[in-house]
Amino acid sequence: MNLNIEKVLITGAAGFIGSMLSKKFLDNNFQVLGVDSINDYYSIELKKNRLKMVAKSANSDKKIWHFSEISLEDKDNLFQIFKNFEPDLVINLAAQAGVRYSIENPYAYAESNLLGFLNILEACRIYNIKHLIYASSSSVYGGNKCQPFKESDTVDHPVSFYAATKKSNEIMAHSYSHLYNLPSTGLRFFTVYGPWGRPDMAPMIFAKNIYEGKSINIYNNGNMMRDFTYIDDVVEAIFRCSFKVPLADKSFDFKNPDPSISFAPHQIFNVGNGNPKSLMEFIEILENCLNKKSKKNFLPMQSGDVEETFADINKLNNWINYRPEIDLETGVKKFVAWFLESYDNF
């Protein structure tokens, strides 16, 4: 079912994907309200600069852009925002991110990713939201060794608490879809990179250290594959999904349930490139773009990490005609150009 919308509420709007998505909706003449706690998990300055970039884009074309600095755990203020703004569409990208940090500080994930997400679901129920899109993660595939990862695979063996919270989000959203007929779409993102990216992720860490002549830590001795997905492709996928509302599947087989479909108006999709590359190839491309060789420090695999991610994107392609347009070499060139231009701000 196609959806007519005017107002979009985006949580995590100061984040990497959230800021780019806010700009996308503004560029297409939607009213956008961004929400973010602007916590200090990573650079607050970077988050504020992203918001300035979004506001500048909105002001230059006289678009309607609002921003509220609150956390999802603040139920009363969150509900008031829903009541005042009356969004048609809610896109929940706010979360405590990071696989490794979840080992050190699991309570931050329980508060933001579980309690915060429950508040989003309740607000969507109370204020009759037409469609909820929420961020899941490729991390939910955990110990799965079947490649490529398909939405029909079981994801019952997470290897990090972060992944467990994202799996929980999918289950929570499904229950609300069933109980309250809330159309919900979960998107499992695969290694998103590009300009304005997160400084705690490998592309930014590697670029900064290589540029400054510092060594880079390469885990599992470099024997890793990642389905690197450029930010513009991810934003386009979310944007297209926004207007197509999932319906209950009347052919659902209760005796042989397929995790990728449901008797409720709930769908889950992989959002990836569908073409995994080795970590060493990524580093080589990065070195070439920076015109510098890296000093490599090879280390064992970290707890909670996985050797390979590989998205089967056929389901998403069939749903919204999605095919990523940016290959890794082109994407890294774009990322490095932004990095060098913005280096003084890091």
Side-chain angles (χ1 to χ4, degrees):
M1 181 177 74
N2 291 325
L3 178 66
N4 291 320
I5 59 177
E6 294 181 3
K7 297 181 178 182
V8 185
L9 190 156
I10 299 175
T11 73
F16 178 27
I17 300 174
S19 57
M20 298 297 104
L21 184 65
S22 296
K23 186 176 183 302
K24 174 77 171 181
F25 273 98
L26 288 166
D27 289 345
N28 284 272
N29 299 310
F30 292 90
Q31 297 182 46
V32 181
L33 170 59
V35 170
D36 202 293
S37 67
I38 315 186
N39 66 30
D40 61 359
Y41 168 63
Y42 65 80
S43 170
I44 290 176
E45 192 66 24
L46 174 60
K47 295 178 182 181
K48 290 183 176 179
N49 285 338
R50 289 179 183 141
L51 290 174
K52 289 177 183 176
M53 176 270 297
V54 175
K56 183 178 180 180
S57 175
N59 291 337
S60 64
D61 294 323
K62 297 182 180 179
K63 311 293 186 183
I64 299 177
W65 159 251
H66 308 279
F67 177 76
S68 292
E69 183 178 341
I70 65 164
S71 68
L72 301 190
E73 300 96 293
D74 185 354
K75 184 179 73 172
D76 292 342
N77 280 325
L78 183 67
F79 282 20
Q80 192 64 48
I81 283 173
F82 271 74
K83 182 179 180 180
N84 293 342
F85 186 61
E86 299 181 323
D88 303 302
L89 168 70
V90 173
I91 303 176
N92 184 61
L93 302 174
Q96 179 57 59
V99 168
R100 293 158 192 165
Y101 187 62
S102 70
I103 297 172
E104 303 168 17
N105 195 0
Y107 287 98
Y109 292 75
E111 291 165 4
S112 178
N113 300 7
L114 300 180
L115 177 58
F117 189 59
L118 174 59
N119 289 340
I120 286 289
L121 291 172
E122 273 291 279
C124 288
R125 174 185 70 83
I126 293 168
Y127 295 103
N128 298 310
I129 300 306
K130 297 177 182 178
H131 187 193
L132 166 65
I133 294 180
Y134 65 93
S136 185
S137 168
S138 63
S139 296
V140 301
Y141 287 102
N144 190 342
K145 298 296 183 182
C146 297
Q147 303 287 345
F149 296 157
K150 297 181 179 181
E151 296 90 344
S152 56
D153 295 339
T154 58
V155 289
D156 296 330
H157 300 90
V159 296
S160 70
F161 187 64
Y162 167 69
T165 64
K166 286 302 184 179
K167 164 68 173 175
S168 299
N169 286 169
E170 295 179 357
I171 298 170
M172 292 164 72
H174 183 274
S175 69
Y176 268 68
S177 294
H178 168 61
L179 291 169
Y180 307 113
N181 198 36
L182 170 64
S184 302
T185 300
L187 300 178
R188 294 172 176 169
F189 299 127
F190 282 71
T191 315
V192 186
Y193 75 101
W196 297 96
R198 277 173 34 205
D200 63 317
M201 293 186 69
M204 187 75 84
I205 293 172
F206 288 173
K208 192 170 187 295
N209 284 13
I210 293 170
Y211 186 71
E212 294 176 353
K214 300 176 182 177
S215 63
I216 58 174
N217 291 333
I218 302 174
Y219 294 97
N220 202 37
N221 296 306
N223 298 316
M224 302 179 81
M225 302 281 289
R226 287 291 180 268
D227 200 340
F228 293 98
T229 315
Y230 191 70
I231 181 63
D232 290 3
D233 289 326
V234 171
V235 166
E236 183 63 28
I238 303 170
F239 187 74
R240 293 188 192 184
C241 283
S242 298
F243 307 98
K244 191 166 184 180
V245 179
L247 301 173
D249 192 323
K250 296 181 180 179
S251 65
F252 185 80
D253 187 345
F254 286 87
K255 293 183 177 180
N256 297 288
D258 180 345
S260 68
I261 59 175
S262 178
F263 52 84
H266 180 260
Q267 288 268 18
I268 293 174
F269 298 98
N270 290 334
V271 181
N273 188 271
N275 185 22
K277 299 291 185 180
S278 73
L279 183 60
M280 299 309 295
E281 181 178 351
F282 172 79
I283 292 170
E284 183 179 354
I285 295 172
L286 193 57
E287 290 173 333
N288 291 338
C289 292
L290 289 166
N291 197 28
K292 287 190 175 185
K293 285 292 182 182
S294 62
K295 300 174 184 177
K296 301 176 179 66
N297 183 25
F298 290 98
L299 297 169
M301 178 72 91
Q302 282 194 310
S303 296
D305 217 340
V306 296
E307 290 186 12
E308 181 175 358
T309 63
F310 180 3
D312 184 319
I313 55 175
N314 286 318
K315 186 182 178 189
L316 187 62
N317 180 42
N318 291 335
W319 184 249
I320 57 166
N321 193 29
Y322 167 80
R323 284 293 173 190
E325 296 184 357
I326 307 298
D327 61 69
L328 184 61
E329 189 164 349
T330 302
V332 172
K333 285 180 181 177
K334 290 174 177 287
F335 163 69
V336 169
W338 169 82
F339 170 81
L340 294 174
E341 182 179 327
S342 308
Y343 174 77
D344 290 340
N345 296 324
F346 301 136

